[in-house]
């Protein structure tokens, strides 16, 4: 198959959002919100053996103001939930959220008084990476899916958690608003 | 048979010692809470005992202990239940010498002596109507957060504690989650739906 030689072209056309998406998906500045054992696999993914940097996601920023993607890695308790929500609210648009591990996806096996049953009950989630903890290959697969989503300009906006859970688990009761 | 440490305790604090147990080198004394401070003071200051380290302080709720445990039938195992799920009484594994409802809680102290390398466990049974014990923070400063955790999880108050607030749960949390009568599916989220 012949490939056009573009080196002699002096100009090219594209759509602005497509160009932006292409640029964004290879410069993922991530905020790792690491609370539990999933952090080990997250670190393993960042090491040279798996090399997250191949996907342009090798540079974690520990300030939500400078981050594009929020990696929620590990169990989130109800006490921690307002902190996580505040970090999410502090991130500048556009922003994406990755739920890393089953605890962030659904609460995992922590079905108890202390644990948030999935962070999608409190904030939008773009990519779910299940596993306890997920292997680095699984993480990279999720990262590629996130890149596709970023490249297409898609972004989750609403917490889907309440909508996709059984109605009998939902109640209007809420202790207090912390924001 | 009884370890000399336990028999010395029995001799000195006979009115407060409810029972003594020794199991595979683990020494346990079940005492009344009226004698807790005196016994703890003695354990720490007596040079022959020298329990300078409070390793652990926790509690147990015996509300359902020794009563019939029933496995919930599931869709895959409708009634009648198979033999391995039929209700059967749970044997008491050791003699607490107390009744369930009158003495619902046990506060458990684990002491260690870094000089003699010996250990002792104290159990203090508490009534459900009045779950409170005197604090040990004046003897072991490390008791401070232990007692706050026990208060948080079990609702046992420690009289004389300098700062008895919840340690793990948030202030808005209602109830004490490790009590056996705390509903297992009760959720108190600060944010989001109640799932």
């Amino acid at each position: 198959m012949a490939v056009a030689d573009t080196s002699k072209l002096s100009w090219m056309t594209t759509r602005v959002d497509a160009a932006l998406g292409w640029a964004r998906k290879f410069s993922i500045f991530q905020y790792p919100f690491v609370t539990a054992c999933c952090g080990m696999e997250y670190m393993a993914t960042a090491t040279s053996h798996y090399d997250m940097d191949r996907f342009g996601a090798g540079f974690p920023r520990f300030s939500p103001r400078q981050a594009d993607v929020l990696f929620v890695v590990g169990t989130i308790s109800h006490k921690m939930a307002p902190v996580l929500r505040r970090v999410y609210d502090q991130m500048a648009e556009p922003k994406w959220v990755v739920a890393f591990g089953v605890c962030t996806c659904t609460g995992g096996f922590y079905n108890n008084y202390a644990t948030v049953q999935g962070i999608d009950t409190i904030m939008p989630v773009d990519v779910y990476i299940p596993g306890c903890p997920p292997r680095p290959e699984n993480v990279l697969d999720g990262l590629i899916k996130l890149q596709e989503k970023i490249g297409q300009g898609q972004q989750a906006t609403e917490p889907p958690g309440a909508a996709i859970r059984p109605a009998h688990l939902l109640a209007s009761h809420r202790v207090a608003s912390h924001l | 048979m009884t370890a000399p440490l336990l028999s010395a305790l029995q001799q000195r604090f006979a009115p407060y010692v409810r029972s003594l147990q020794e199991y595979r080198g683990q020494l346990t004394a079940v005492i009344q809470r009226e004698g807790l401070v005196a016994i703890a003071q003695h354990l720490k200051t007596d040079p022959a005992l020298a329990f300078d380290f409070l390793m652990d302080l926790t509690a147990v709720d015996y509300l359902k202990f020794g009563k019939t445990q029933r496995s919930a039938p599931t869709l895959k195992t409708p009634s009648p239940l198979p033999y391995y799920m039929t209700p059967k009484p749970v044997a008491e594994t050791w003699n607490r010498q107390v009744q369930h409802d009158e003495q619902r809680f046990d506060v458990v102290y684990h002491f260690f002596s870094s000089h003699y390398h010996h250990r002792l466990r104290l159990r203090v049974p508490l009534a459900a109507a009045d779950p409170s014990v005197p604090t040990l923070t004046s003897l072991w400063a490390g008791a401070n957060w232990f007692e706050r955790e026990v208060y948080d999880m079990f609702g046992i108050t420690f009289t004389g504690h300098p700062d008895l607030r919840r340690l793990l749960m948030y202030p808005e949390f209602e109830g004490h989650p490790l009590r056996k009568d705390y509903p297992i599916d009760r959720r108190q989220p600060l944010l989001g739906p109640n799932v």
Side-chain angles (χ1 to χ4, degrees):
Chain A
M1 190 169 74
V3 178
D5 182 10
T6 56
S7 62
K8 294 194 176 73
L9 294 179
S10 58
W11 52 272
M12 60 181 285
T13 59
T14 179
R15 288 179 297 122
V16 173
D17 51 352
L20 268 180
W22 177 84
R24 278 173 180 156
K25 76 178 189 179
F26 293 116
S27 66
I28 296 173
F29 283 56
Q30 25 156 341
Y31 181 98
F33 194 92
V34 180
T35 56
C37 36
C38 274
M40 294 296 131
E41 293 300 308
Y42 173 78
M43 290 175 231
T45 313
T47 54
S48 54
H49 191 88
Y50 292 99
D51 196 9
M52 238 178 185
D53 210 7
R54 289 180 291 164
F55 306 95
F59 195 27
R61 306 300 302 169
F62 294 99
S63 161
R65 303 287 189 204
Q66 300 170 341
D68 305 313
V69 177
L70 177 60
F71 266 76
V72 185
V73 184
T75 320
I76 300 297
S77 64
H78 286 306
K79 196 177 181 181
M80 184 62 92
V83 180
L84 177 62
R85 176 72 205 196
R86 171 163 286 189
V87 168
Y88 173 78
D89 287 340
Q90 284 175 336
M91 289 170 65
E93 292 281 352
K95 54 190 174 184
W96 294 268
V97 177
V98 175
F100 187 116
V102 287
C103 288
T104 53
C105 293
T106 65
F109 49 76
Y110 296 113
N111 185 9
N112 60 22
Y113 62 92
T115 307
V116 174
Q117 302 296 296
I119 61 164
D120 56 5
T121 59
I122 58 172
M123 58 203 292
V125 174
D126 290 280
V127 175
Y128 298 84
I129 304 176
C132 186
R135 279 196 58 82
E137 294 90 335
N138 206 351
V139 180
L140 295 179
D141 186 46
L143 192 65
I144 292 167
K145 283 186 167 56
L146 178 71
Q147 282 187 323
E148 290 171 6
K149 206 165 177 178
I150 295 175
Q152 292 163 7
Q154 295 175 355
Q155 191 181 347
T157 51
E158 288 295 317
I164 61 178
R165 280 171 170 71
H168 71 274
L169 290 178
L170 302 173
S172 58
H173 174 74
R174 179 190 277 201
V175 173
S177 174
H178 269 233
L179 292 174
Chain B
M1 176 183 162
T2 316
L5 197 157
L6 286 183
S7 47
L9 208 64
Q10 168 77 44
Q11 270 188 343
R12 193 176 173 98
F13 296 102
Y16 299 126
V17 176
R18 204 187 278 261
S19 69
L20 300 169
Q21 283 128 18
E22 183 177 0
Y23 177 74
R24 304 204 175 195
Q26 299 179 21
L27 310 179
T28 306
V30 183
I31 63 167
Q32 290 175 347
R33 70 172 172 187
E34 289 75 22
L36 173 66
V37 172
I39 290 175
Q41 179 90 40
H42 177 69
L43 292 177
K44 186 179 183 190
T45 53
D46 187 353
L49 298 173
F51 284 105
D52 52 359
F53 182 33
L54 174 64
M55 287 197 304
D56 191 20
L57 194 168
T58 183
V60 187
D61 185 356
Y62 285 102
L63 182 68
K64 297 175 181 175
F65 187 72
K67 297 179 179 173
T68 300
Q69 301 284 307
R70 186 186 296 272
S71 302
T74 63
L75 289 175
K76 287 181 179 173
T77 60
S79 203
L81 296 171
Y83 71 94
Y84 53 85
M85 287 180 73
T86 49
K88 57 189 172 195
V90 179
E92 296 221 17
T93 51
W94 61 284
N95 182 14
R96 301 181 63 233
Q97 300 190 339
V98 290
Q99 294 300 310
H100 288 295
D101 297 326
E102 289 81 34
Q103 302 292 342
R104 175 175 164 183
F105 299 102
D106 268 11
V107 179
V108 187
Y109 301 84
H110 290 152
F111 297 108
F112 176 69
S113 167
S114 60
H115 185 258
Y116 298 108
H117 287 206
H118 57 197
R119 294 160 202 266
L120 175 68
R121 177 187 300 126
L122 290 187
R123 304 184 78 108
V124 184
L126 296 177
D130 178 26
S132 70
V133 280
T135 180
L136 294 188
T137 44
S138 54
L139 291 167
W140 292 273
N144 190 321
W145 280 23
F146 279 139
E147 290 177 350
R148 282 178 61 185
E149 185 189 7
V150 169
Y151 164 71
D152 192 357
M153 294 289 126
F154 292 94
I156 295 169
T157 53
F158 292 83
T159 50
H161 191 284
D163 183 24
L164 195 63
R165 290 178 292 129
R166 287 186 182 276
L167 180 68
L168 299 172
M169 305 311 292
Y170 28 96
E172 295 88 346
F173 196 84
E174 295 170 4
H176 302 282
L178 289 195
R179 285 193 173 194
K180 294 296 182 192
D181 52 0
Y182 184 88
I184 197 165
D185 53 355
R186 184 174 176 200
R187 302 285 180 267
Q188 303 185 42
L190 294 169
L191 286 177
N194 189 16
V195 291

